[in-house]
Amino acid sequence: EDVFEYAKVLGMDPEEDKEFLYLAREGLKAPLPPGWKPCQDGSSGEMYYFNFETGESLWDHPCDDYYRKLFEEAKSKKTGVSHKADSSFASSVNSSIAKHN
């Protein structure tokens, strides 16, 4: 069920885009890129992510956009419309994933 919910976050229709659910599974397991740490908001208790190297903070996992772009790119191969995942961010994510495997 978590996979289907995350698939929706990535812009997938879990029924229509079943062949791409592997990206949602992968995204759910993705480690945080270097510099990012999960934090908890003191007033709301909500989780967010903070990059201690850049000072950037996000409510969503830092890899969500990467996996969203991967999905768009994979789906676009069927339609012929191209979306390129950011290569520098992709390298950072791939490096982080490789360290955890």
Side-chain angles (χ1 to χ4, degrees):
E1 189 169 295
D2 286 343
V3 172
F4 293 124
E5 289 303 311
Y6 188 62
K8 291 175 188 175
V9 168
L10 298 179
M12 293 182 200
D13 176 328
E15 290 301 313
E16 180 182 318
D17 299 316
K18 284 182 183 179
E19 67 191 280
F20 304 112
L21 288 176
Y22 72 94
L23 290 170
R25 279 188 212 91
E26 206 175 285
L28 280 174
K29 296 177 183 179
L32 289 167
W36 289 94
K37 301 286 182 206
C39 300
Q40 188 170 21
D41 182 71
S43 58
S44 69
E46 293 284 326
M47 293 298 297
Y48 68 97
Y49 300 92
F50 187 78
N51 186 319
F52 285 88
E53 295 172 9
T54 66
E56 183 179 4
S57 64
L58 298 171
W59 287 108
D60 298 322
H61 192 286
C63 295
D64 286 358
D65 281 342
Y66 172 73
Y67 283 97
R68 191 173 293 113
K69 287 176 186 177
L70 283 181
F71 162 63
E72 290 170 0
E73 192 172 291
K75 189 167 182 174
S76 73
K77 288 181 182 179
K78 289 183 160 185
T79 63
V81 178
S82 180
H83 299 277
K84 299 285 184 201
D86 178 47
S87 61
S88 62
F89 186 72
S91 296
S92 170
V93 170
N94 289 336
S95 171
S96 183
I97 290 170
K99 289 178 186 174
H100 288 86
N101 287 334

